[in-house]
Amino acid sequence: MRVTVHGTGYVGLVTGACLAEVGNHVTCVDIDENKVASLRRGQVPIYEPGLEDIVRRNAEAGRLQFTTDVAAGVRHGPFQFIAVGTPKDEDGSADLTHVLAVARAVAQAMDDYKVIVTKSTVPVGTADRVQAAVAEVLARRDTKPAFDVVSNPEFLKEGAAVGDFMKPDRIIVGSASARATQMLRGLYEPFSRNHDQVIVMDVRSAELTKYAANAMLATKISFMNELANLAEICGADIESVRIGIGSDPRIGFEFIYPGCGYGGSCFPKDVSALVRSAEERDFRMELVGAVESVNDRQKRVLFAKIQRFFDGNLRGRTIALWGLAFKPNTDDMREASSSVLMEQAWAAGARVRAYDPKARDEARRIHGERPDLVLCSSAYEAIEGADVLAIVTEWQEFRSPDFDLLREKLARRAIFDGRNIYDPAMVQNMGLQYFGIGRDRSVVTR
């Protein structure tokens, strides 16, 4: 099939590349000339395991092409996927400026039937606005080609997006058109060979399903972080509690790992947008609103532990920081807990020596060159001259470090584990003080 994807960001590029991988002919459209030029050279602007190989392979095979020409993309085929950004607006709502701009651009160039698919994460009712925007442009052009607007939200995890797309657990299609539904079933048939993963529903339900999924997962994380904070007060170990409740199949182990807060491009933005969407309808989502505030507070917990360790005076201290990305296997630092920790440390007069396997360039882009930040090329370079170590991202290479070297290099011989990746007793037996999330039951010795 012939597919056009508008937007070559995270969702658009993964969608276009994976659709091409199964034999479709895909054109990806973006208004950023530099990005398109880079993609034509096989340079992928984001880090996502397996994505670069798929992009290059399908571009070389002629199944995947990139252009800034919107009209050419519209002429390319019947499927017009909208996969542009919906950033958080000042009031917390999703900004639909780019989505509606693409809808109007498609309408300006179309002269035959199109299935306009909203892949971007959008509030309930967005498809109606896309429908109206397209109809308005067509009326001005005095032309009436048929079209349908369909909701097809993405459920891609950063760091595992290619696998999620190629082997989805569900494919949500919100549609009021039998014709469009049948066409999307055909498009996704190669991804649901074992059983039919396509779930068809009305458009508004599909739009809400995406927000509901992310809000549910964010709720589990914030709930566990609340329990972790209580565990410290009560003298309990949250890891034991986690295993105890996760063994209940009604709860399970997914997304019940306490830590120093969630980040990324989805959970913070989508939780905020869901709350705002409810407010616009005079409904207050108290639980979801609390999820957001708990997470904001949790991002400050690790620094509070470090500050307490130094009796409130961090001036002149150096913190080694392992992990900058909001999660492993990505270079994405949007809403990352690492940025909150570093900003707090700098405000207190401390320096940071940071290492991340993939996000060093992104950190430099966000925070720039500054004397109180050293971006290191290895984990052990980061601990040189450091007083303590803080772990914010649970990259695999951090899980079994040289504790003898850490004891030798860290002036204050303390580890602040924001993801609970170490066993406290083992770390303490190695001659290091350990402070995790929901596990600090011992008195701090200095």
Side-chain angles (χ1 to χ4, degrees), residues 321-343:
L321 178 62
W322 283 2
L324 293 164
F326 86 94
K327 64 180 288 187
N329 297 320
T330 182
D331 60 355
D332 193 344
M333 286 185 61
R334 284 174 286 184
E335 305 277 353
S337 300
S338 61
S339 290
V340 176
L341 175 59
M342 288 192 293
E343 287 162 4

Side-chain angles (χ1 to χ4, degrees), residues 71-356:
V74 175
R75 290 193 300 270
H76 176 73
F79 291 104
Q80 300 290 314
F81 279 78
I82 301 177
V84 293
T86 54
K88 187 192 299 187
D89 214 338
E90 292 181 0
D91 62 357
S93 62
D95 185 347
L96 298 178
T97 301
H98 303 306
V99 170
L100 296 176
V102 170
R104 295 185 185 101
V106 170
Q108 190 63 44
M110 62 186 282
D111 54 15
D112 56 5
Y113 177 71
K114 302 295 179 187
V115 180
I116 301 172
V117 185
T118 55
K119 199 71 173 172
S120 305
T121 300
V122 295
V124 175
T126 297
D128 294 338
R129 296 182 63 181
V130 170
Q131 180 98 15
V134 172
E136 181 183 358
V137 173
L138 293 179
R140 284 203 307 265
R141 292 178 55 207
D142 194 23
T143 184
K144 295 183 179 180
F147 71 96
D148 287 304
V149 178
V150 176
S151 174
N152 176 219
E154 54 85 15
F155 296 94
L156 307 176
K157 299 185 295 292
E158 290 196 42
V162 171
D164 287 345
F165 198 101
M166 299 302 292
K167 297 181 179 180
D169 47 23
R170 80 281 207 198
I171 300 167
I172 302 294
V173 173
S175 173
S177 163
R179 180 182 182 183
T181 300
Q182 190 61 32
M183 289 176 66
L184 278 168
R185 282 189 179 278
L187 182 65
Y188 281 118
E189 194 274 336
F191 303 98
S192 56
R193 289 290 176 87
N194 292 333
H195 64 278
D196 186 7
Q197 273 115 338
V198 176
I199 302 172
V200 180
M201 59 185 70
D202 64 275
V203 175
R204 287 184 170 235
S205 295
E207 291 171 334
L208 183 56
T209 295
K210 169 62 178 182
Y211 276 124
N214 280 352
M216 174 63 78
L217 298 176
T219 299
K220 293 181 73 174
I221 295 171
S222 281
F223 176 75
M224 284 304 294
N225 285 333
E226 283 271 69
L227 280 183
N229 297 335
L230 177 62
E232 290 191 3
I233 298 170
C234 296
D237 185 343
I238 193 62
E239 284 300 296
S240 297
V241 176
R242 181 184 66 79
I243 294 170
I245 65 173
S247 300
D248 186 331
R250 295 171 300 174
I251 298 172
F253 289 101
E254 295 292 325
F255 286 85
I256 62 168
Y257 290 86
C260 51
Y262 61 75
S265 63
C266 294
F267 286 6
K269 175 175 68 69
D270 294 351
V271 167
S272 178
L274 183 59
V275 170
R276 180 59 181 163
S277 179
E279 290 174 348
E280 290 173 352
R281 293 165 171 82
D282 296 322
F283 179 70
R284 183 180 178 188
M285 300 192 74
E286 295 185 8
L287 176 60
V288 181
V291 168
E292 188 174 28
S293 60
V294 166
N295 188 60
D296 290 341
R297 183 181 64 189
Q298 196 68 18
K299 289 181 177 181
R300 301 178 181 276
V301 165
L302 204 58
F303 176 77
K305 292 174 180 288
I306 297 172
Q307 190 174 44
R308 191 161 55 244
F309 178 80
F310 286 108
D311 291 324
N313 184 15
L314 274 78
R315 188 161 300 280
R317 299 292 184 179
T318 299
I319 300 171
L321 178 62
W322 283 2
L324 293 164
F326 86 94
K327 64 180 288 187
N329 297 320
T330 182
D331 60 355
D332 193 344
M333 286 185 61
R334 284 174 286 184
E335 305 277 353
S337 300
S338 61
S339 290
V340 176
L341 175 59
M342 288 192 293
E343 287 162 4
Q344 288 184 290
W346 295 328
R351 296 181 297 271
V352 176
R353 294 177 61 84
Y355 167 71
D356 188 284

Side-chain angles (χ1 to χ4, degrees), residues 2-4 25-27 65 71-78 80 114:
R2 303 183 72 82
V3 180
T4 298
H25 291 268
V26 179
T27 294
Q65 58 183 341
V74 175
R75 290 193 300 270
H76 176 73
Q80 300 290 314
K114 302 295 179 187

